[in-house]
Amino acid sequence: MTKVLSIASFNLLRMFRERANLFFVLVFPLLIVFVIGSQFADDDDAPDVAVAGTGAFVDRSVERLEDTGAASVQRVDSSAELRDLVEDRDVVLGVAVPDDAEDALRGGAGVELTVMLGPGDGSTQVEGVVMRAFEAEAVAADVTGYLLTLTDAAADDIGEVVERTVAAGAPVEINRVLAGGADPDDEPLGIDQVAIGILLLMTFLNALTGASALIQSRQYGVSRRMVATPTSLRLIVVGEGAGRWGVGMFQAVYIMATTAVLFGVSWGNIPAAVVLLAVFAAVAAGAAMLVGAVMHNDEQAAGITVMVGLGLGALGGSMLPLDLFSGTMRTVANITPHAWANEAFVELSRRGGTLVDILPQLGVLAAFAVVLMSLAAWRLRLTLTRP
Amino acid sequence: MTVIPGTRLAEASGLHKTFGDIHAVNDVSLHIDAGETYGLLGPNGAGKTTTISILAGLLEADEGTVMVAGERIRPRSTRGRAAIGLVPQDLAIYPDLTAEENLKFFAALYGMSRRDSAPRIAEVLDVIGLTDRRKDRTSKYSGGMKRRLNIGIGLLHSPRLLILDEPTVGVDPQSRNAILESVETLSGEGMAVLYTTHYMEEAERLCDRIGIIDSGRVIAEGTRAELTASIGEQERIRIEVTGQVADAASRLRGLDGVTDVAAEDDAVVVLADDGSARLSAIIERLAGAGAQIGSIDLARPDLEAVFLHLTGKALRE
């Protein structure tokens, strides 16, 4: 055990002695989480919508719209001011309502609203919500106007009855759910999701760079000299693997701790998350050992490392959340360990899952680790025991 | 280390190793006693490194056995490895670690506790003359310093058999001398040493017994005196020439009294009975072949002459 720890600890010492490695392990991941997180996750405010117009109909519509929480409403005095705000992108959308809208509706006449859409997707996303708010508030006035044509009663009396009728109606409550049980209000590109993706990507990538250290050990002749000591090949292989696992584990725990403290990322059940990280780091260590045992030089390994690390990361949901993948791509993603780890983290952090809930994912990841480690050990034995 | 001089410490019997069509080691047998320095002398590619790789347990022999300190040495077992200190021909150290860290790393692999290894590391650093530079990364060391550390690692666990594979290749004269002195000291302290080299002078200076190896076979073995006696009173004449060296060498074959001739890159090596008396005839033949003669070196029978006699090749070919 002492020998395994020695091999692993000197691996870590050599890794952290390299300043470039320190940057990629300590600074780079946080930088990415911060940059991507601030792009997507910090944008919690509802889009701004401007409304020009006065009267009870406008007041009620604006109140209804604000109650949805889908938009933040800014009242303006004129259509010209409204246009300026939309054109300057201060708001995503503007609604101009004629001042006599209430009277026109109650008189049974139609009302024409003008909607100014700003550039970008934001305006089209919020347009439907805005229009539904105005249409809903128009109903009572519209019905009042229609009833006036059928009876001799006063307009105010009819209006009061209609409003009381509308208010007394049983509300329709709509529960939004997503298949799979996720909370639909969770932003798929929220900071938690970004942090999970970056954690898996960087843990795998940085453990994989350990392949170069293994190749160097072989090139320096140190690996072969290790075989000449009273240390079995099995212990040497385990020690080299433990070194790579240590790098991956350090990276993962570091990202987990710092993003929790600095960005308030929630990782859910911490003991289960640590177990998940340990198994995922073992997968990364196995991949690093395999690359280190198969490749002949640093350049080859560096190319493979970047290609495999980024490729598996992208395919496994580390760059774009799996929720946004098409069905086919979601299925294909399952060939990567990242996708399984990603899914397990989502279970822990978004659905309050426990260790038991992620056992299937842990099992698959463990299988990945065993296969990769076994292949690497076989190849390394072969490399070290031939002239 | 308690050593009884003369005790059989290492024994290799009937070693064979082939790589494809190449018979790298062909029926090699040798033994080394405690306190003895055994030299394996041969040109590059003769099979020295393959032989010691088998002796150190790095390679599995196709046939034959190796016993060190009473233990069978095999790649699949770590038994007996603690008795062996290997100094490989190529540097085997981490350049991004200091000398002290390199020694600590290998001390752990040799199973030494921190308490035992700390004083031993200080001792080894002193022996290899790197105490003052122990905290420097080895990437900043000179070639000679790296070589000394390479040897220090092999000495770390006080092995009973030290295997040195051409430890002075590419080393400056000062470091080379320091290395040779260290080997003499260790041997004097009772350590068995297996020393491979293609430098005749090193073998003559250090080794109690020498095995001459060529094409995977040990073709002669004995003390320096025994080996040189085997070729009688023949003298070795080395003549630096420019021009067609191979052609010049071929002209000398068959000359009266000349027993062997070999061509090097820029010299012809001749083995002749009563060489000084034959010198004028040899020079005449070379001049006749159009060779420009530089220096002439005439030596009493030595290991190089033995090698030339046995193989028809110069040691540095």
Side-chain angles (χ1 to χ4, degrees), chain A residues 183-206:
Chain A
D183 185 345
D185 292 330
D186 269 356
E187 178 62 51
L189 276 170
I191 190 114
D192 288 9
Q193 272 290 287
V194 172
I196 290 170
I198 297 302
L199 179 143
L200 297 174
L201 182 76
M202 294 309 295
T203 298
F204 200 82
L205 256 179
N206 278 328

Side-chain angles (χ1 to χ4, degrees), chain A residues 56-71 73 129-140 166-167 172:
Chain A
F57 168 65
V58 178
D59 293 344
R60 288 198 309 273
S61 299
V62 166
E63 193 181 335
R64 177 180 284 271
L65 179 57
E66 284 180 331
D67 284 348
T68 66
V73 182
V129 180
V130 172
M131 294 322 298
R132 277 197 297 278
F134 280 88
E135 283 166 357
E137 285 304 328
V139 169
V166 170
V172 176

Side-chain angles (χ1 to χ4, degrees), chain A residues 2-3 6-7 10 13-14 17 216-217 220-222 224-232 240 384-387, chain B residues 19 53 58-59 78 81-82 86-88 91-97 101 105-106 108-111 137 150 153-154:
Chain A
T2 312
K3 292 179 178 180
S6 286
I7 297 169
F10 275 95
L13 176 67
R14 293 183 58 225
R17 191 158 275 177
Q216 284 167 2
S217 283
Y220 297 151
V222 174
R224 197 162 163 76
R225 190 170 202 165
M226 287 160 72
V227 179
T229 68
T231 306
S232 68
E240 293 284 4
L384 295 181
T385 54
R386 68 184 179 194
Chain B
F19 300 113
S53 293
L58 292 173
L59 268 184
T78 58
R81 297 268 179 88
L86 174 67
V87 180
L91 293 171
I93 55 177
Y94 280 125
D96 44 5
L97 296 183
E101 288 165 346
F105 175 67
F106 279 101
L109 294 186
Y110 276 110
R137 288 191 202 184
N150 202 35
I153 292 169

Side-chain angles (χ1 to χ4, degrees), chain B residues 2-312:
Chain B
T2 309
V3 175
I4 304 167
T7 308
R8 181 67 47 91
L9 192 69
E11 182 154 20
S13 310
L15 299 180
H16 285 266
K17 183 72 188 176
T18 54
F19 300 113
D21 296 334
I22 300 167
H23 210 148
V25 174
N26 189 354
D27 197 24
V28 168
S29 297
L30 57 89
H31 66 87
I32 311 168
D33 295 338
E36 183 183 39
T37 300
Y38 184 96
L40 208 49
L41 180 70
N44 291 330
K48 302 188 296 291
T49 299
T50 306
T51 301
I52 63 165
S53 293
I54 295 170
L55 283 161
L58 292 173
L59 268 184
E60 183 92 64
D62 297 336
E63 280 181 54
T65 57
V66 175
M67 300 290 290
V68 174
E71 299 281 1
R72 175 103 185 254
I73 302 296
R74 316 181 72 164
R76 288 178 193 167
S77 167
T78 58
R79 292 171 73 95
R81 297 268 179 88
I84 303 171
L86 174 67
V87 180
Q89 182 177 349
D90 296 322
L91 293 171
I93 55 177
Y94 280 125
D96 44 5
L97 296 183
T98 67
E100 197 169 57
E101 288 165 346
N102 269 289
L103 289 167
K104 277 183 185 170
F105 175 67
F106 279 101
L109 294 186
Y110 276 110
M112 299 169 77
S113 68
R114 282 193 182 185
R115 202 179 58 182
D116 291 342
S117 66
R120 180 60 186 155
I121 287 170
E123 203 176 310
V124 168
L125 284 167
D126 190 41
V127 168
I128 59 178
L130 291 176
T131 303
D132 293 343
R133 302 287 304 273
R134 68 187 188 282
K135 300 280 186 198
D136 292 346
R137 288 191 202 184
T138 61
S139 55
K140 295 177 181 168
Y141 285 7
S142 68
M145 291 164 76
K146 288 176 186 172
R147 283 271 163 206
R148 272 145 54 198
L149 176 60
N150 202 35
I151 293 173
I153 292 169
L155 296 174
L156 193 58
H157 60 298
S158 307
R160 297 173 70 185
L161 170 66
L162 180 65
I163 301 177
L164 296 126
D165 189 8
E166 310 224 24
T168 58
V169 170
V171 171
D172 61 276
Q174 195 183 349
S175 294
R176 182 171 177 239
N177 199 46
I179 290 169
L180 297 181
E181 278 178 6
S182 299
V183 175
E184 285 170 329
T185 306
L186 293 166
S187 177
E189 289 171 356
M191 189 179 283
V193 179
L194 172 57
Y195 192 98
T196 78
T197 181
H198 64 269
Y199 295 127
M200 176 200 66
E201 317 85 63
E202 289 183 7
E204 288 191 328
R205 174 175 165 181
L206 295 177
C207 302
D208 301 306
R209 283 188 308 120
I210 297 155
I212 294 181
I213 186 168
D214 185 49
S215 302
R217 280 179 176 278
V218 175
I219 52 178
E221 188 184 64
T223 63
R224 179 189 180 282
E226 288 167 351
L227 289 169
T228 50
S230 68
I231 60 168
E233 286 303 307
Q234 294 183 84
E235 286 169 314
R236 181 176 57 83
I237 306 163
R238 188 172 185 280
I239 306 158
E240 281 188 6
V241 294
T242 52
Q244 298 295 320
V245 180
D247 184 45
S250 68
R251 296 276 188 114
L252 298 179
R253 291 196 178 95
L255 193 65
D256 191 32
V258 170
T259 54
D260 284 291
V261 181
E264 293 181 353
D265 289 343
D266 56 353
V268 175
V269 183
V270 180
L271 200 60
D273 296 323
D274 196 6
S276 20
R278 318 267 175 208
L279 203 51
S280 58
I282 290 170
I283 291 169
E284 200 175 308
R285 280 283 178 97
L286 288 174
Q292 303 279 320
I293 296 172
S295 65
I296 299 173
D297 177 36
L298 193 141
R300 298 293 301 161
D302 59 12
L303 291 175
E304 187 139 5
V306 174
F307 189 81
L308 181 59
H309 175 70
L310 292 171
T311 66

